[in-house]
Amino acid sequence: MANLMTLLKTVAADIPAALISPAELSILQRLSQQLPEGQAAILECRLSEARPAADLSLCLRPRRTGAPAIKAACPDGEAWAGIRHFYHYWPALPQLAFLQRTWLEFDCIDKGAKALEQPCFFFGGNHDQLKVEEWIDRIQLVVDLINQPASGFTYSKDLLSFCLTQMQPSSRLFQIGLMAFRAVPSLRICVQDRSVKPLLKLLRSVGLREIAGVMMAELGAYFESCSKFGLHLDLGEELSLKASLECYPDAEGQWGDWPIFLNQLDQMDDLHRTKLAALKNWPGRHILAGDVQIRQLINHFKFLLEPGVKPKVKAYLYVGKHHPQTQKKHPLVR
């Protein structure tokens, strides 16, 4: 298991200050002392904003001996009581055997230290064989285990079922997010596909034709340089009119079209140019630390989609550890 604060300190000097300043990274390091040990982290940078800061996500997978260790030093409160409850029962429940990973997401930019008290919770795994009704039962089981009634979190099972049944055969349900403490609490479904066309069809099928139009009009130029896409839909009692699209420039360890993708971002009107320049000049590095290899690279980009609004974009920096013998080399690494 990796100590998050140690991981962040190891890569701190190699993250461009235009993306995350040393002062902001120090804040994340201090906050990470209160978090469980995990296998990886994602630093989420808003490329449309000037502030060189990031939100933080922590990946937790089960250890050989059972659930991840949730330290007593973790923040108190209802949210963490539910999270501890989930991780305590995770290994013992056969209905959750398909789960391979969970993520805790913290909105550090907007909430500061208070973000630790109200994490969003994501889970996913080997679930390609699950039927829609099985998915719905397992999602409800996770919701019941975490059990955060004070957050006001509710969702329509009928709406969830409808959205899942509209997925195309080539698409897969990558993960589910419980966004219980957002301004509008919601359940997030994350659908991935190698082609953007099935995701456009999904949007139209669930009534989000305007979002599909925004995607085609504003993002069509990016599709050829991407190998995988992830569509995020938020639902409560109703389906949100907003959505987001993740774009993965890498395919099976190949990043050949990544520079093309970055150059295309120049066309976005409200993109912060200093941050884009930092991305172009920084392909990421591999750092050998002890017997593991630390990797921090752009994992993917996300476009925030809303009818009548120009998309905003985020970059996601992966910080994790992989054994050197299995790590593929990034062709842009100096």
Side-chain angles (χ1 to χ4, degrees), residues 1-3 6-8 10-11 38-40 285-296 318-327:
M1 301 281 277
N3 181 282
T6 300
L7 284 176
L8 292 177
T10 303
V11 301
Q39 286 78 14
R285 288 182 54 197
H286 294 83
I287 304 170
L288 193 63
D291 60 348
V292 296
Q293 205 166 28
I294 306 299
R295 178 169 72 104
Q296 92 274 8
Y318 177 95
V319 182
K321 65 176 190 176
H322 296 259
H323 294 289
Q325 64 267 25
T326 63
Q327 181 66 51

Side-chain angles (χ1 to χ4, degrees), residues 26-44:
S26 294
I27 293 173
L28 295 180
Q29 290 172 9
R30 289 197 299 272
L31 294 180
S32 69
Q33 296 180 64
Q34 302 181 57
L35 295 177
E37 294 185 344
Q39 286 78 14
I42 290 285
L43 303 177
E44 178 183 320

Side-chain angles (χ1 to χ4, degrees), residues 130-136 139 156-173 176 189 191 198-199 201-207 233 235 239:
L130 291 182
K131 299 178 181 178
V132 169
E133 55 270 22
E134 292 174 323
W135 248 120
I136 293 174
I139 291 170
S156 166
K157 289 186 179 180
D158 289 340
L159 182 56
L160 173 61
S161 176
F162 172 68
C163 291
L164 296 184
T165 55
Q166 298 307 305
M167 287 173 49
Q168 300 302 299
S170 61
S171 302
R172 72 185 187 106
L173 191 56
I176 294 289
I189 59 174
V191 182
L199 302 181
K201 188 171 183 178
L202 172 60
L203 284 170
R204 298 184 183 107
S205 298
V206 299
L233 300 177
L235 60 93
L239 184 62

